[in-house]
Amino acid sequence: MTILGREFRSGTLLLVLSGSVVLALAVIAGQRLMSRQPAAAPAGSVAQPARPEAVAALGRLDPRGEIRSLAAPITGIGGSPRITRLLVQEGERVAPGQLLAVFDTADPLQAQRRLVEARIANLRSRVSVQERDIARYRSLSRSGAIPSGELDTRETNLLELKGQLQEALAERDRIDADLKLTELRAPIGGTVLRLHARVGERPTDDGVLDLGASDRMEALIEVYESDIDRVRVGQTVTLTSENGGFEGTLSGRVLRISPQVRQRDVLETDPTGDVDARIVEVRVELDPADAQRVRQRTGLKVIARFTP
């Protein structure tokens, strides 16, 4: 009996210890679960909605109004003329209407114009002489000194001369219009961003040069279509350079949002990035002081963060 009693007491003790361990583990698990759960809001308080995350996207610096690619005129045979004079360099500031380049079609047209001017001067002299003769013949015809048919002939000749004069004047106007195409002038004030052709070359489809109004710099940001619902006109934007093209940050605001979704142009540095992602173009107007800081940085890649 003594042995059985000892065994009974030992089993009871073991059972009690096992239960204590299980109870302790349950208490610890409960405490951990409670620590993970947010504290209950006090009675009568209103729950605050979670603050939305800021939208970040890649983009580039662009002149306002984008970039103008200035083309060469098309000649009568369908090709582009050669450049004989190029009066600007890359990075140079130009004013509206400033002469940028001259093409080789100018000299032949100038020669044609001089020829037409000589013809116009000759016809005007002949018209003037013919008008004086007609005035004299009209007086003689009234007195019966000459037959009326002679006066009619001279008046007919005068009409032909005046018609030839009008044709010559129209020809001069056409040449003047063609002469305007022998010069390339700046349609806007801005900076010459890139030259595509040099003296002696025929411009290709890329044109002669690219011109941008870089004194009014903006940013073109490509926002993922999944994030565009969190971007709005007037929203504050902070820009940083992805590769250290400028120090610090730039400030601006959303100017307009494109209504079209398209494929992205500005690619990530990571070659494994999603190049087929669909984006919406967002134009950001820079603060005037910041726009001056980066007016020589057209095309620089930036990272934009839109304030929630």
Side-chain angles (χ1 to χ4, degrees):
M1 291 296 293
T2 304
I3 295 174
L4 291 176
R6 289 178 180 177
E7 291 179 352
F8 178 77
R9 287 194 296 271
S10 298
T12 302
L13 179 60
L14 180 61
L15 183 61
V16 171
L17 291 175
S18 299
S20 300
V21 171
V22 172
L23 180 60
L25 292 176
V27 171
I28 293 173
Q31 291 176 346
R32 290 182 176 178
L33 181 61
M34 292 297 293
S35 65
R36 293 179 183 177
Q37 295 179 351
S45 63
V46 179
Q48 297 295 327
R51 186 176 183 181
E53 296 182 0
V55 175
L58 287 176
R60 67 175 182 269
L61 297 179
D62 254 355
R64 180 178 295 181
E66 301 179 349
I67 298 173
R68 305 283 184 92
S69 294
L70 306 187
I74 302 299
T75 62
I77 58 176
S80 296
R82 287 188 177 88
I83 299 175
T84 56
R85 296 170 60 198
L86 189 59
L87 307 176
V88 292
Q89 299 178 351
E90 290 183 355
E92 184 175 342
R93 292 279 304 159
V94 298
Q98 181 175 334
L99 183 63
L100 307 177
V102 179
F103 303 103
D104 63 357
T105 50
D107 290 341
L109 287 173
Q110 289 286 4
Q112 291 180 29
R113 194 181 192 284
R114 288 192 294 270
L115 183 61
V116 171
E117 282 286 2
R119 183 184 174 196
I120 290 172
N122 177 265
L123 286 170
R124 281 175 171 166
S125 297
R126 293 175 62 186
V127 166
S128 178
V129 171
Q130 191 74 353
E131 287 176 341
R132 289 197 301 269
D133 286 348
I134 287 176
R136 188 175 68 254
Y137 271 76
R138 186 173 289 118
S139 176
L140 294 174
S141 177
R142 283 195 296 267
S143 63
I146 61 171
S148 59
E150 184 70 21
L151 177 61
D152 293 340
T153 301
R154 291 188 175 274
E155 289 179 340
T156 300
N157 292 338
L158 177 60
L159 291 176
E160 292 178 356
L161 288 175
K162 287 184 176 181
Q164 294 175 15
L165 177 59
Q166 293 300 317
E167 291 177 358
L169 292 172
E171 177 69 10
R172 186 181 64 180
D173 291 341
R174 183 193 64 80
I175 294 175
D176 288 342
D178 289 341
L179 279 171
K180 291 181 180 179
L181 299 179
T182 66
E183 299 178 343
L184 181 64
R185 295 185 178 273
I188 59 172
T191 301
V192 178
L193 304 177
R194 185 177 181 182
L195 295 175
H196 296 292
R198 306 283 177 171
V199 173
E201 297 179 347
R202 295 183 186 274
T204 63
D205 293 340
D206 293 331
V208 179
L209 56 86
D210 291 340
L211 183 65
S214 58
D215 55 337
R216 297 172 293 174
M217 190 67 71
E218 295 179 346
L220 178 63
I221 309 301
E222 297 185 344
V223 179
Y224 285 118
E225 59 181 344
S226 58
D227 295 332
I228 195 60
D229 61 337
R230 289 183 284 155
V231 176
R232 63 189 182 278
V233 174
Q235 189 172 2
T236 303
V237 184
T238 302
L239 305 175
T240 56
S241 173
E242 185 182 41
N243 301 308
F246 56 85
E247 296 182 356
T249 61
L250 307 176
S251 298
R253 63 180 184 86
V254 176
L255 187 61
R256 63 180 178 271
I257 301 173
S258 172
Q260 181 181 14
V261 178
R262 62 172 186 78
Q263 191 171 349
R264 67 189 305 180
D265 285 337
V266 182
L267 300 181
E268 297 178 357
T269 303
D270 181 6
T272 63
D274 186 5
V275 297
D276 295 325
R278 309 293 290 178
I279 57 89
V280 176
E281 288 186 348
V282 176
R283 278 274 170 185
V284 174
E285 181 182 34
L286 301 182
D287 292 347
D290 288 338
Q292 286 298 316
R293 287 174 52 198
V294 293
R295 65 187 184 92
Q296 299 294 335
R297 297 292 184 269
T298 297
L300 186 72
K301 190 184 295 186
V302 294
I303 301 173
R305 290 179 174 83
F306 297 81
T307 303

